């Protein structure tokens, strides 16, 4: 089921042996739109500290009790590497984090015995291995950080530019709680269509100007105005998604 990420902010993070804090933010990959980490404010357990937890250990949110369970212990989190989340996250920081928890690195795909590379078959690379090329990339990204990791809170408020005119700004993001992949931007059109919010799929994004905080989509303002009405008070259903994709004449991501 698709949920608004802003609705998860403040949820209690429950490790296997107790509470460790609350949801503060999410980091996602701006190429695949997959959520990579949840940012956890560990107060009041550990005051003044925020930690990153990979989406691979996040379980389905418990909406009634406002709890997000994670498959970690309090001891693992307490002894995790300190990362300055006010600065760009470097690949070296990610490697340290993944080594601590024993997580596989998402930034490279380990080849299998059935994966041909250059006409030959190779042996799988252990998930914890750091490849030579990766070591070089680590040195390069030590200061500038991973250019593909973006904060949800950073993107909120970005301007949305249709092919002809602006249509509003990002009000929220929708992600699946099964795969933690962002599927839609919730757009507030109050400066153009007062009292209305619309959904734009991330598949329809043409490009993003991260410096100017502008996001360009391959649909027109007129199309947005006539798009199927979205009701923020109702769950986002597959029936509505089909109507939305059909209206814009785009193939659905679920096929």
């Amino acid at each position: 089921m698709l949920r608004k990420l802003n609705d998860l902010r403040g949820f209690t993070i429950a490790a296997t042996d107790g509470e460790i804090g609350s949801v503060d933010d999410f980091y996602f990959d701006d190429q695949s739109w997959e959520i990579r980490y949840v940012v956890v404010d560990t107060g009041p357990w550990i005051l003044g500290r925020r930690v990153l937890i990979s989406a691979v250990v996040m379980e389905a949110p418990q909406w009634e009790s406002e709890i997000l369970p994670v498959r970690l212990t309090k001891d693992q989190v307490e002894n995790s590497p300190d990362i300055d989340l006010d600065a760009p996250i470097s690949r070296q920081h990610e490697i340290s984090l993944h080594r601590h928890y024993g997580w596989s690195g998402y930034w490279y795909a380990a080849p299998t015995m059935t994966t041909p590379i250059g006409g030959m078959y190779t042996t799988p690379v252990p998930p914890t291995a750091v490849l030579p090329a990766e070591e070089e990339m680590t040195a390069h990204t030590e200061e500038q950080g991973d250019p593909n990791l973006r904060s949800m809170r950073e993107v909120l408020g970005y301007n949305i530019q249709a092919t002809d005119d602006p249509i509003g700004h990002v009000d929220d993001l929708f992600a699946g709680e099964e795969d933690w992949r962002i599927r839609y931007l919730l757009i507030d059109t109050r400066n153009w269509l007062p009292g209305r919010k619309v959904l734009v799929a991330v598949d329809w994004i043409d490009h993003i100007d991260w410096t100017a905080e502008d996001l360009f989509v391959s649909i027109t303002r007129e199309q947005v105005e006539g798009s199927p009405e979205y009701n923020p008070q109702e769950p986002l259903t597959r029936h509505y998604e089909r109507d939305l994709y059909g209206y814009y004449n785009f193939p659905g991501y679920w096929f």
Side-chain angles (χ1 to χ4, degrees), residues 1 3 10 16 46 50 53 72 114 117 122 131 136 144 162 166 169 180 194 216 219 222-223 248 250:
M1 189 171 185
R3 300 279 194 170
T16 57
I46 303 175
R50 291 186 299 160
I53 291 180
L72 296 173
T114 58
I117 296 181
T122 60
L131 306 181
E136 294 175 6
Q144 67 182 34
H169 63 269
W180 294 108
F216 297 80
I219 53 180
E222 183 179 9
Q223 284 179 302
Y248 284 109
F250 286 116

Side-chain angles (χ1 to χ4, degrees), residues 52-119:
L52 291 180
I53 291 180
S54 172
V56 301
V57 297
M58 290 160 49
E59 298 185 345
Q62 299 172 9
W63 290 94
E64 290 188 5
S65 54
E66 297 190 351
I67 292 175
L68 179 60
V70 295
R71 297 186 301 277
L72 296 173
T73 67
K74 294 179 73 173
D75 183 68
Q76 284 179 299
V77 175
E78 185 174 12
N79 294 298
S80 64
D82 282 319
I83 298 177
D84 181 5
L85 297 181
D86 293 324
I89 301 171
S90 72
R91 183 50 50 80
Q92 181 61 49
H93 287 148
E94 289 191 273
I95 291 172
S96 298
L97 193 70
H98 282 243
R99 280 178 171 167
H100 169 75
Y101 287 110
W103 300 330
S104 297
Y106 67 85
W107 44 86
Y108 69 90
T112 67
M113 292 299 289
T114 58
T115 302
I117 296 181

